[in-house]
Amino acid sequence: MRHLAVHRCIAVVLLAAGALPAVQAQEAAQDGSWRFQATPYVWMSGLEGRVRPFRNAPAADVDKSFAELFESLDAAAFVTATARRDRFVLQADLTHASTSDSAALPMGLSARAKVRQTSATLTAGYAFAPTDAAGVDLMAGLRHWEVSTAVDVTGIGSARSKFSFVDPVIAARWRQAVAPRWSTLVYADTGGFGVGSDATWQVLALANYQARDNLFLSMGYRHLSVDYREHGRRLDVDLSGPMLGLTFLFGKGHGAAALP
């Protein structure tokens, strides 16, 4: 039963792991108009680390591929939205996932585990352009995580666990045009600082293709690390894997020369 609960917690970590930095446009509207974008995305990550989803339970070492984690997924939704006005940038990210699985136990028993998670991130900051082909965003904000776990053993009983924490985060993002319809993006953030988790950080690199004036396709690779230990629970994991995103742009400043 302990291993079943651990596997469900792993899936939660995969799906609640923060936001894909959305594709951005280079040209800043100087007339005070707002510009918006929405980015649904996926992250095909594996996971390594050590977890303890229940208080006073033994910690377990984990090493799972994306395919193994995906098998227990019931439903998931990931979306990032960004608003810009002149040099001001505001970004929000919301993720929600639900996983469940059943397993046979000794003595003819069976267990079912279910995990639900929601994470919400809000950052704000300043955007500037060091060159005509580059853009830089400097941001800070908060990321709220909420995770609930339930394990039911037929004829024996059940166990429930629910916890949440808020991490302050700071972030930097570099966007560079490399061809008329191609650009790159490098993003890094760090946070926690013992306020929510002990520490968290991530880095990612993306290549972006402008399919239309208001549509970008992105592909790349992302690594995320988080170390949370509180009230007998532990979440000390590293997640890495390829990612894909699709961004829709709205408002002014999005033309053929736009920089993601």
Side-chain angles (χ1 to χ4, degrees):
M1 182 173 65
R2 173 176 61 83
H3 293 294
L4 183 61
V6 167
H7 292 168
R8 301 290 70 73
C9 185
I10 293 169
V12 166
V13 174
L14 167 69
L15 297 172
L20 166 67
V23 177
Q24 307 290 348
Q26 162 70 2
E27 300 174 1
Q30 299 300 322
D31 60 357
S33 299
W34 283 96
R35 296 170 294 138
F36 305 94
Q37 61 191 61
T39 306
Y41 64 92
V42 295
W43 183 22
M44 295 165 282
S45 174
L47 183 146
E48 294 182 52
R50 195 166 179 81
V51 299
R52 183 190 294 116
F54 292 94
R55 297 180 183 180
N56 303 319
D61 294 318
V62 295
D63 186 356
K64 294 289 183 179
S65 67
F66 169 73
E68 291 172 312
L69 295 174
F70 188 76
E71 289 180 356
S72 63
L73 182 65
D74 291 333
F78 311 87
V79 63
T80 291
T82 302
R84 289 178 178 268
R85 185 176 183 180
D86 297 329
R87 299 292 184 180
F88 178 71
V89 56
L90 179 67
Q91 180 170 294
D93 178 82
L94 178 66
T95 74
H96 178 78
S98 177
T99 62
S100 62
D101 199 7
S102 299
L105 300 176
M107 301 177 62
L109 299 176
S110 63
R112 181 172 179 82
K114 187 174 184 65
V115 169
R116 293 179 180 175
Q117 71 77 26
T118 300
S119 69
T121 305
L122 181 64
T123 55
Y126 178 81
F128 63 97
T131 71
D132 290 342
V136 175
D137 300 327
L138 300 177
M139 300 175 290
L142 299 172
R143 178 176 297 136
H144 174 78
W145 294 35
E146 182 172 295
V147 179
S148 61
T149 305
V151 178
D152 297 294
V153 180
T154 304
I156 299 296
S158 62
R160 300 287 187 271
S161 175
K162 184 176 182 178
F163 63 95
S164 63
F165 59 95
V166 177
D167 280 332
V169 294
I170 56 176
R173 176 169 44 201
W174 180 282
R175 299 164 285 120
Q176 181 72 46
V178 295
R181 288 189 175 271
W182 287 94
S183 64
T184 60
L185 182 149
V186 177
Y187 171 92
D189 71 27
T190 186
F193 311 118
V195 178
S197 63
D198 290 343
T200 183
W201 63 273
Q202 71 171 319
V203 294
L204 67 87
L206 295 174
N208 307 299
Y209 175 73
Q210 186 177 11
R212 300 178 182 177
D213 286 354
N214 65 342
L215 179 65
F216 284 83
L217 307 176
S218 299
M219 63 188 72
Y221 199 86
R222 180 183 187 182
H223 177 90
L224 171 68
S225 177
V226 61
D227 184 0
Y228 172 81
R229 309 181 194 198
E230 192 72 26
H231 304 302
R233 302 182 182 92
R234 180 175 179 178
L235 198 61
D236 184 5
V237 296
D238 294 293
L239 302 98
S240 299
M243 59 195 307
L244 298 173
L246 182 64
T247 294
F248 302 90
L249 311 181
F250 311 91
K252 295 185 177 180
H254 305 305
L259 171 67

